[in-house]
Amino acid sequence: MIRAIRPGLWPAVVLLVVLAAMAAVPGLFTGADPDAADLNATFAPPGPDHWLGTDENGRDLWARIVHGARPSLLIGGGAVAVALLGGAVVGVTAAQLGGLADQALSRSLEVLLSVPWLLLVFLVVAVMGPGTFPAMVGLALVSLPGFARVVRAEVLRLRAAPFVEAARGFGWSRLQVTVRHVVPNALGPVLALATVTLGATIVAGSSLSFVGLGPQPPTAEWGAMLAASRRTLSVAWWPAAFPGVALTLAVLAITAVGQELQRRADGRHL
Amino acid sequence: MAGVLKTGPAGNGAPAGTGRAELVRLVLLRAGGSAAVLWGAVTATFVLLRVMPGNTADVLMARSTTASAETRAQLIADYRLDESVGAQYLAYLGKTARGDFGDSYVLRRPVTEVLATQLPHTLLLVAATLVVTVAGAVVLAVLSARAGRVARSVFAGVESLLVAVPPFWLGLVLLTLFSFTLPIFPAVGSSSLSGLVLPTLTLAAGPLALVSGVLREGMLRALHEPFVLTARTRGISETAVHVRHVLRHALLPATSLLGWIGGSLLGGAVIIEIVFSRPGVGRLLLTSVQNKDLPVVIAVVLLSALVFVVFTIIVDVITWLVDPRTREAA
Amino acid sequence: MGASKAWRWGAAGAAAALALTAGCSAGGDGEGTTGAPREGGVLKLALEKEPECLDPHQTPTQSGRLLARPILDSLVYQDPKGTLHPWLAKSWAVSTDGLKYTFNLRDGVKFTDGSAFDADAVVANLDHVVDPKTKSLLAASLISAYDSAKAVDPKTVEVTLKKPDSGFLAAVATPNLGIHAPTTLKDDPAKLCSKIVGSGPFQSDGGFIQQQGITYTKNPDYAWSPEGAAHQGPARLDGIEVQIVPDDPSRSGALTSGQVDAVTALPPTSVKELRGNDAFKVHSVLYPGANHSYWPNTANGTLADVRVRKALRAGIDWKKIVQNVYFGVYEGAEGVLSKSTPGFDASVTPAYAYDPAAANALLDEAGWTARDGDGYRTKDGKRLKVRHMWSDPSVETLSVQIQAAAKEIGVEFVEENLDGGTFVDRLLKGDYEIIDTGFAAPGPDVLRVLFSKANIPTPDRGIANNMARYDNPVVEADFDAALRATDPAEQLKIYAKVQQQLTEDAAVLPIYTSTSSLTARSGVQGVAFHVDGSPNLTEIWLES
């Protein structure tokens, strides 16, 4: 794998590794407590003491960005993981059953697709209450149809492939063939879709925090940090700038790697 | 993304007809499926809002700690909140089918009237965004497809950046730079054309970059197709080749992408309307969900589902018209 | 966003005298002017909130009162000091039993649709307010004593009350009892939500459009200003354009970039910034009533223990947090009531001082002695946890700092930002430890609204204002005595005692005193505030 990374992709890969490390072990990057309010050091500009400055509560922005990596990435990541699993189940079921059941499932997916994504998430959050988990579930519902459709299409396509025909010739049942041969082969394009979706879902997750429906204070989350920074924009620019940069860089890196994965998946298939 | 095309109701082997008859058939099939989708969306929203915590009458009364018991009783009677959920659902379906969305619980006006004042703003924003997206993407793609390798990777880099920037943050940055710091564009207001510039750019940035990327890839692939070579040998100018043959060829995947984008713009518009303090369906929706203003929420859901469905059909028709191959495939 | 803010000023228009104390730089008419008032010009105003309905008979909101006032006149005018003056009624008489009010109406008053103002119009308006079909959320309860009205002759109205109500005239003076042109009252009340017609100094042909605003034009024939108003006759402004801009930075940007002349409710950061700028002026008044406070659930949960409540009061440096969050623009609270409330008892102030040592001692005494790995206090293995529920994102910064300060004494504040439905549900069930809200009201009577047993919100009772769920027979007896007291001084004495008892029971954790503000470019003159704290738009004029 590593050997095959294009030189242009290295920055993205490094960034991803750093972000993953931040999310996993934030203590590696900062010793400061992200929630420690210092009422004597509010709005300290970037400098030697706080190198990205402090926010309206005197909290160190670097520490908050580092600790914010986990919730910020978790909403999107969790949502995509749930959507992938759910989508795979729905997609395989639809392709497997065919006929009326397939039709019904497809229509249901279309219902999910037809409701504006933010409204869908908003309704879920309204039912479950704001927080990381409801946001995750809501966003998972948004991207589930995409996965289900790709999985269904892949299963149908692969089922017509010569090696699958051959397996059936050996007297394997349809389910056996699907599980043993079709699903593993469909994994490539689905994973590629997952990485591409991940970027957009992380942005969507931060949008949700931005309107106050994500993780609750004092959790450091990039979207929530940006929302809070708007109220004090006339006093300090840095709380409004750095979380946005972090978010953009993260999505940029994920998308770059995702596109590369997709290119490879396509290459393998064509 | 192209999945929108593949898995629609007509996707499962409508027999190949000829010409217009087949097109009509395609549209009819789609419309039939769409009605089911709309019903599903309404029902799902109704159920979700019913299981939301909090009694609707209490939420309505929360607007005032001083209202009398008579007012509460009148509210409950007027909005039939004392009836069973099933009866409310049936009554609602019946009225909706007749085009009557009822009165907003909170705004106390017919939902159609409320939507009529808000919808134009959102539609204007979405329409402007689509125009900017298409025009910008075509220009960018044509320019970058003809550019050298280095310039092309710069284009690609900028596109990735635009796709990655969270729209609400981009809006914040643009607003700070061009409204608060340099008062070029108004900070508030939706009536003027200049007030539309920043929200449109913010909402269009991501889709524009996405479509432009897909267009360019398509064009680059088409450049090596035999028909382009033929066109060149006939002595047609390079620009004409690009626009007339290559671009046209690349439009197909971009169209389906655009259809998907058009359907999802409404979601993005919610955030943009909040950031830019614009009136519109987005903000209306947000407050309506919080206030349990069921009639408004369902009407907006129905409306946006309708927009989505119409977009899907339009995209299918365009695809059918642009690319004869899909007719045989279908 | 929904619930808590709507209540905040729920009773701001309530009856009786509202004495508003001038804040930082309240500009009365003439103050700081450089010449004679200029005629003409259109005032562009950006408002932070909008009413869900323009008709003040229906809406309970402060923004509804603000937007209706330029269009609708009232029978009686209450000046900012609380004194009542004639307006559409040139005089009135009250029967000795307090049950009959006879209003003599002014001559020559015309509604802007051309119809004449007379006794029938008054009767139609009062009946409209109490008609169940109007679904009034405030106005009807302001005149809950109202029984009937009849036109004795075209210029005389006789109103009968069910029981004596000394606050009736003040209620009639609020915009909520504003007089519509009777022709507009025959239609569906829904129509009034977007368009109202009255006899006021301004009219609006386009009406109010949700999320956009309202445009007023001057009523050139206006000749019936209330007695005692700073300006008489037609308004000096040609018109007013009101835009709804809920977003703080945008409102502030619209003002500083010159897009609008004035904005309401600027956030403290912007106020602080603009205070040093000669091009702008911040006009503001302190609201009387309850401070913006944390209301502890005194009935159940961890805060049912008075020692824990006292520990929170002493262990958190509330004043410093207020200074920090609001940059000195809002004043820290100094007692149960806002300082500007008549009857405010200053003797309780020392009890609200910061004393972390005492707080820790109280918590130890209450049995929260052990500490867990995160440094929070525990008792029987359970962490000392306080759930603060809110549904208004603007309190977030304040909450975060309080949360951080509470951690210092080992108390965990769990912040719960809820949607309106869940919020109301849990409020009624009493499933919370702390709620934050303020309550503007004219006098110490508000204590009864906030702490009497009858006002504890429950599923049966519905939403009410005793969110501390405070229930103390001693205080109930005091409330009864205050109601019976005929001597105002005696009444204030009883309410002072109540404030001392509430302080002893730590029934409220007051934070800051709310302020109503209008920030304008310096050319905007004649800015004053109504008795309910909303800016008076009709006397404003533009220097340029």
Side-chain angles (χ1 to χ4, degrees):
Chain A
M1 272 301 264
I2 303 280
R3 171 167 50 90
I5 291 174
R6 289 188 294 115
L9 206 61
W10 269 109
V13 173
V14 171
L15 197 58
L16 263 191
V17 171
V18 170
L19 283 171
M22 275 185 183
V25 201
L28 280 180
F29 297 86
T30 174
D33 179 351
D35 302 333
D38 179 356
L39 306 192
N40 297 313
T42 55
F43 295 122
D49 287 343
H50 304 280
W51 47 293
L52 295 185
T54 63
D55 68 3
E56 79 274 24
N57 294 320
R59 296 174 298 196
D60 185 70
L61 273 175
W62 169 244
R64 285 185 75 70
I65 286 177
V66 168
H67 284 265
R70 188 183 301 168
S72 307
L73 301 177
L74 191 68
I75 298 180
V80 169
V82 172
L84 195 154
L85 284 177
V89 169
V90 173
V92 169
T93 312
Q96 193 67 27
L97 297 176
L100 257 174
D102 182 17
Q103 282 286 327
L105 279 174
S106 294
R107 280 306 85 69
S108 310
L109 293 179
E110 242 171 282
V111 170
L112 281 182
L113 274 176
S114 71
V115 179
W117 65 269
L118 197 71
L119 174 57
L120 191 60
V121 182
F122 207 93
L123 289 173
V124 171
V125 172
V127 172
M128 300 176 62
T132 308
F133 183 67
M136 209 189 278
V137 172
L139 288 170
L141 275 183
V142 172
S143 39
L144 189 143
F147 287 103
R149 285 176 158 199
V150 169
V151 169
R152 178 182 169 278
E154 278 294 307
V155 170
L156 289 179
R157 186 179 68 83
L158 285 166
R159 213 188 262 153
F163 70 97
V164 174
E165 299 263 314
R168 297 210 58 182
F170 286 121
W172 288 29
S173 79
R174 210 153 74 152
L175 188 67
Q176 272 178 315
V177 174
T178 306
V179 172
R180 291 260 183 107
H181 292 275
V182 175
V183 169
N185 276 289
L187 220 56
V190 173
L191 284 179
L193 176 65
T195 39
V196 172
T197 315
L198 184 59
T201 311
I202 286 175
V203 170
S206 65
S207 309
L208 214 57
S209 305
F210 186 72
V211 295
L213 299 172
Q216 297 302 294
T219 309
E221 197 278 345
W222 298 338
M225 288 166 73
L226 286 173
S229 76
R230 289 169 82 210
R231 292 194 288 272
T232 54
L233 201 56
S234 54
V235 183
W237 55 267
W238 49 95
F242 296 123
V245 172
L247 197 51
T248 308
L249 284 179
V251 176
L252 210 52
I254 289 168
T255 314
V257 172
Q259 279 171 347
E260 179 68 15
L261 285 179
Q262 193 165 40
R263 229 169 271 144
R264 292 183 185 197
D266 286 353
R268 209 168 48 215
H269 267 73
L270 290 175
Chain B
M1 330 258 139
V4 177
L5 281 179
K6 285 180 197 145
T7 49
N12 320 345
T18 45
R20 189 168 299 161
E22 195 203 337
L23 183 62
V24 170
R25 191 186 143 76
L26 171 80
V27 171
L28 282 181
L29 259 174
R30 281 301 162 99
S34 305
V37 167
L38 294 183
W39 170 79
V42 169
T43 306
T45 313
F46 189 92
V47 170
L48 269 179
L49 282 169
R50 280 296 153 191
V51 296
M52 246 170 89
N55 175 294
T56 307
D58 283 336
V59 176
L60 294 181
M61 296 292 287
R63 311 189 65 77
S64 165
T65 43
T66 44
S68 62
E70 289 84 20
T71 299
R72 186 191 162 96
Q74 186 72 31
L75 274 171
I76 290 174
D78 275 15
Y79 302 138
R80 307 171 67 162
L81 297 174
D82 50 344
E83 291 177 14
S84 73
V85 174
Q88 288 183 43
Y89 173 68
L90 287 181
Y92 183 78
L93 270 193
K95 273 168 80 182
T96 308
R98 277 176 274 131
D100 176 6
F101 291 115
D103 287 357
S104 157
Y105 293 164
V106 174
L107 304 173
R108 300 189 167 193
R109 267 155 284 176
V111 171
T112 35
E113 186 192 315
V114 174
L115 284 178
T117 62
Q118 304 301 325
L119 198 60
H121 298 280
T122 305
L123 287 184
L124 185 64
L125 176 62
V126 170
T129 304
L130 276 176
V131 169
V132 169
T133 301
V134 172
V138 167
V139 170
L140 264 186
V142 170
L143 281 181
S144 61
R146 298 189 62 178
R149 218 185 154 72
V150 177
R152 211 148 59 206
S153 48
V154 171
F155 272 111
V158 171
E159 281 164 10
S160 308
L161 188 67
L162 287 181
V163 174
V165 174
F168 63 90
W169 190 57
L170 180 64
L172 201 62
V173 171
L174 288 180
L175 205 52
T176 308
L177 290 181
F178 300 112
S179 283
F180 302 162
T181 314
L182 303 167
I184 300 172
F185 297 105
V188 299
S190 58
S191 42
S192 64
L193 198 63
S194 58
L196 196 62
V197 174
L198 293 183
T200 305
L201 286 182
T202 308
L203 192 53
L208 192 158
L210 267 180
V211 175
S212 148
V214 169
L215 264 183
R216 183 178 53 248
E217 298 234 329
M219 288 178 71
L220 288 178
R221 256 200 305 267
L223 274 175
H224 306 292
E225 297 273 339
F227 65 84
V228 174
L229 228 60
T230 325
R232 281 206 182 110
T233 52
R234 275 189 288 149
I236 297 176
S237 82
E238 195 61 13
T239 310
V241 169
H242 266 92
V243 173
R244 241 185 269 161
H245 297 277
V246 178
L247 183 63
R248 196 191 144 142
H249 191 77
L251 271 178
L252 184 62
T255 311
S256 66
L257 178 60
L258 206 61
W260 173 77
I261 287 169
S264 65
L265 271 185
L266 205 62
V270 174
I271 301 274
I272 299 302
E273 283 173 4
I274 292 170
V275 172
F276 286 95
S277 300
R278 285 179 60 86
V281 181
R283 277 212 291 159
L284 176 73
L285 183 68
L286 223 71
T287 45
S288 300
V289 170
Q290 282 171 326
N291 291 332
K292 288 190 90 135
D293 198 346
L294 195 76
V296 176
V297 175
I298 300 195
V300 174
V301 168
L302 197 60
L303 203 75
S304 41
L306 195 69
V307 170
F308 171 85
V309 159
V310 168
F311 254 104
T312 317
I313 295 179
I314 291 177
V315 167
D316 285 354
V317 171
I318 291 179
T319 312
W320 191 87
L321 292 175
V322 170
D323 189 358
R325 286 176 305 176
T326 54
R327 299 180 209 182
E328 284 128 45
Chain C
M1 282 174 239
S4 75
K5 261 212 169 160
W7 303 327
R8 193 159 298 161
W9 309 118
L18 270 172
L20 287 182
T21 311
C24 34
S25 65
D29 201 12
E31 188 206 316
T33 58
T34 50
R38 182 176 153 269
E39 299 281 328
V42 172
L43 175 77
K44 289 186 182 148
L45 173 70
L47 216 61
E48 93 281 13
K49 273 173 108 170
E50 63 177 349
E52 77 290 351
C53 174
L54 183 59
D55 177 14
H57 290 185
Q58 299 181 51
T59 179
T61 55
Q62 178 90 351
S63 52
R65 280 192 287 279
L66 170 64
L67 293 185
R69 183 83 289 179
I71 299 177
L72 304 184
D73 290 339
S74 292
L75 290 176
V76 180
Y77 170 68
Q78 189 173 29
D79 71 24
K81 293 192 180 71
T83 315
L84 296 167
H85 301 272
W87 196 354
L88 293 185
K90 59 185 179 195
S91 66
W92 55 85
V94 188
S95 67
T96 44
D97 60 3
L99 290 176
K100 273 210 164 45
Y101 284 70
T102 310
F103 294 94
N104 296 309
L105 306 182
R106 196 194 271 251
D107 290 304
V109 175
K110 273 202 166 2
F111 292 107
T112 52
D113 66 355
S115 58
F117 165 76
D118 57 14
D120 288 334
V122 175
V123 174
N125 270 276
L126 289 171
D127 284 344
H128 180 255
V129 167
V130 297
D131 186 343
K133 286 203 188 67
T134 305
K135 296 192 284 281
S136 168
L137 290 174
L138 177 66
S141 58
L142 287 181
I143 53 164
S144 54
Y146 173 81
D147 180 62
S148 63
K150 75 167 194 259
V152 177
D153 64 58
K155 290 294 155 205
T156 311
V157 177
E158 196 178 274
V159 176
T160 310
L161 302 188
K162 288 179 244 176
K163 54 177 197 276
D165 179 0
S166 56
F168 182 71
L169 285 173
V172 165
T174 64
N176 292 99
L177 275 290
I179 305 291
H180 290 278
T183 44
T184 61
L185 298 179
K186 293 181 187 116
D187 265 337
D188 184 357
K191 295 223 165 111
L192 294 172
C193 283
S194 41
K195 196 177 170 201
I196 57 176
V197 177
S199 59
F202 288 92
Q203 63 192 86
S204 176
D205 297 334
F208 171 68
I209 302 171
Q210 218 67 33
Q211 303 198 74
Q212 291 177 56
I214 181 169
T215 300
Y216 303 95
T217 50
K218 156 175 157 173
N219 174 4
D221 304 327
Y222 193 70
W224 39 88
S225 305
E227 186 189 293
H231 171 69
Q232 299 285 323
R236 294 179 181 124
L237 290 171
D238 289 336
I240 308 172
E241 281 175 29
V242 176
Q243 260 182 301
I244 308 298
V245 185
D247 185 52
D248 288 343
S250 297
R251 218 160 53 251
S252 159
L255 177 67
T256 52
S257 65
Q259 210 189 330
V260 297
D261 300 307
V263 299
T264 55
L266 269 197
T269 47
S270 310
V271 168
K272 184 193 169 212
E273 218 191 342
L274 293 180
R275 267 188 185 166
N277 188 336
D278 285 345
F280 301 97
K281 195 163 178 192
V282 183
H283 308 267
S284 68
V285 287
L286 289 178
Y287 282 110
N291 297 297
H292 188 95
S293 311
Y294 270 13
W295 304 88
N297 184 341
T298 58
N300 40 49
T302 35
L303 297 187
D305 185 337
V306 66
R307 291 169 298 193
V308 180
R309 298 201 298 270
K310 279 187 170 166
L312 289 181
R313 185 171 72 192
I316 293 171
D317 196 346
W318 303 94
K319 285 231 174 59
K320 175 146 189 211
I321 290 172
V322 169
Q323 167 67 33
N324 217 38
V325 174
Y326 300 115
F327 308 96
V329 173
Y330 290 171
E331 294 179 36
E334 299 191 342
V336 178
L337 293 171
S338 131
K339 270 188 303 191
S340 62
T341 322
F344 164 73
D345 182 28
S347 77
V348 299
T349 301
Y352 295 87
Y354 176 53
D355 187 350
N360 280 311
L362 278 162
L363 290 173
D364 289 340
E365 192 191 317
W368 297 96
T369 44
R371 299 265 184 166
D372 66 12
D374 294 327
Y376 292 112
R377 286 171 180 273
T378 59
K379 179 159 83 176
D380 307 327
K382 268 174 64 188
R383 182 182 279 190
L384 180 44
K385 217 188 257 184
V386 170
R387 293 168 302 155
H388 168 220
M389 60 172 201
W390 42 287
S391 69
D392 176 357
S394 71
V395 304
E396 186 191 319
T397 307
L398 185 68
S399 311
V400 165
Q401 300 216 353
I402 292 170
Q403 186 181 38
K407 194 178 177 182
E408 300 284 308
I409 53 167
V411 182
E412 184 185 22
F413 268 57
V414 180
E415 298 300 326
E416 299 181 303
N417 174 11
L418 305 173
D419 67 281
T422 315
F423 186 92
V424 171
D425 199 43
R426 286 183 43 190
L427 169 66
L428 296 179
K429 288 184 189 140
D431 185 14
Y432 58 89
E433 272 78 51
I434 281 182
I435 283 185
D436 74 286
T437 186
F439 200 89
D445 260 347
V446 69
L447 290 169
R448 210 155 27 85
V449 177
L450 294 167
F451 295 103
S452 99
K453 189 181 164 185
N455 287 330
I456 296 177
T458 62
D460 293 333
R461 166 74 175 78
I463 287 158
N465 291 299
N466 186 351
M467 297 181 196
R469 313 185 87 79
Y470 182 76
D471 178 4
N472 183 341
V474 177
V475 169
E476 291 295 325
D478 286 336
F479 287 150
D480 285 345
L483 265 180
R484 283 193 307 270
T486 43
D487 175 14
E490 170 67 17
Q491 204 181 26
L492 291 190
K493 236 168 94 187
I494 298 170
Y495 279 127
K497 187 174 157 248
V498 171
Q499 288 172 62
Q500 289 151 22
Q501 184 64 49
L502 290 169
T503 302
E504 181 50 37
D505 291 340
V508 57
L509 304 167
I511 308 175
Y512 65 87
T513 305
S514 305
T515 302
S516 165
S517 78
L518 182 86
T519 309
R521 65 181 175 85
S522 54
V524 176
Q525 296 289 345
V527 178
F529 290 85
H530 285 300
V531 65
D532 66 355
S534 61
N536 182 345
L537 302 182
T538 56
E539 291 179 354
I540 289 176
W541 54 278
L542 300 174
E543 226 169 52
S544 51

